[in-house]
């Protein structure tokens, strides 16, 4: 189907074009990347919705990678599974603004959630009932 654009039929050029289109499509879906952004309707105060202009600005500012900085001052380089992280958690009133959000890899987003909220108790699959602790099953 690309013979008109790639007359030699070079497989590498065809795959390069396909991957470029795929990456552009994914960036548009996840980070609202566009050459011609429309005017934003914004988000209502207290809303969990992150406006497209905020997602674009955070993605560009953080360079598409995790913005977590460890105790030694080293920044995480992870680019996969990037998530939008509220610096002040949404559950306590954190707003979805450029200044109040950063990109985090899934591991660092979970790490910071555990620091703030505490570790989640594991539950039985399909229920909200907690698993019995090991201490409860050992006779004293």
């Amino acid at each position: 189907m690309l013979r008109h654009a790639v007359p030699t039929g070079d497989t590498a050029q065809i795959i390069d074009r396909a991957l470029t289109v795929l990456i552009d499509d994914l960036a548009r879906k996840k980070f609202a990347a566009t050459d011609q952004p429309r005017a934003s309707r914004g988000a209502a105060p207290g809303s969990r919705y992150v406006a497209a202009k905020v997602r674009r600005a955070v993605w560009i500012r953080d360079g598409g990678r995790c913005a977590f900085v460890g105790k030694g001052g080293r920044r995480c380089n992870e680019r996969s599974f990037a998530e939008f992280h509220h610096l002040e958690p949404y559950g306590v009133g954190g707003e979805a603004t450029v200044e109040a959000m950063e990109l985090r890899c899934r591991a660092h987003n979970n790490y910071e959630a555990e620091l703030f909220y505490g570790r989640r108790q594991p539950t039985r699959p399909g229920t909200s009932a907690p698993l019995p602790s090991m201490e409860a099953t050992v006779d004293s």
Side-chain angles (χ1 to χ4, degrees):
M1 289 178 27
L2 283 174
R3 193 58 122 174
H4 68 284
V6 184
T8 63
D10 182 22
T11 306
Q13 283 184 348
I14 293 169
I15 290 174
D16 181 57
R17 285 174 149 238
L19 290 176
T20 300
V21 169
L22 175 64
I23 289 169
D24 290 345
D25 183 54
L26 292 174
R28 188 175 62 252
K29 288 178 182 174
K30 185 156 186 167
F31 304 111
T34 182
D35 293 333
Q36 299 175 346
R38 294 182 295 189
S40 175
R41 60 188 165 141
S47 171
R48 185 176 279 279
Y49 173 75
V50 180
K53 69 178 183 177
V54 172
R55 288 183 282 155
R56 278 192 294 273
V58 170
W59 175 261
I60 290 167
R61 182 197 63 213
D62 293 347
R65 67 184 178 117
C66 181
F68 179 84
V69 178
K71 292 178 184 174
R74 186 168 171 263
R75 182 175 172 183
C76 177
N77 284 320
E78 188 64 52
R79 292 182 179 274
S80 58
F81 300 108
E83 300 175 348
F84 291 98
H85 170 75
H86 288 81
L87 295 174
E88 181 181 357
Y90 173 78
V92 293
E95 292 290 327
T97 63
V98 175
E99 299 78 24
M101 299 196 76
E102 288 184 348
L103 282 180
R104 292 285 191 271
C105 63
R106 184 168 292 157
H108 283 126
N109 200 16
N110 287 338
Y111 169 74
E112 292 203 13
E114 284 182 6
L115 285 178
F116 189 83
Y117 291 110
R119 194 171 192 89
R120 290 191 316 178
Q121 294 293 323
T123 59
R124 290 191 173 120
T127 71
S128 60
L131 290 173
S133 67
M134 291 304 288
E135 291 122 18
T137 59
V138 177
D139 293 325
S140 301

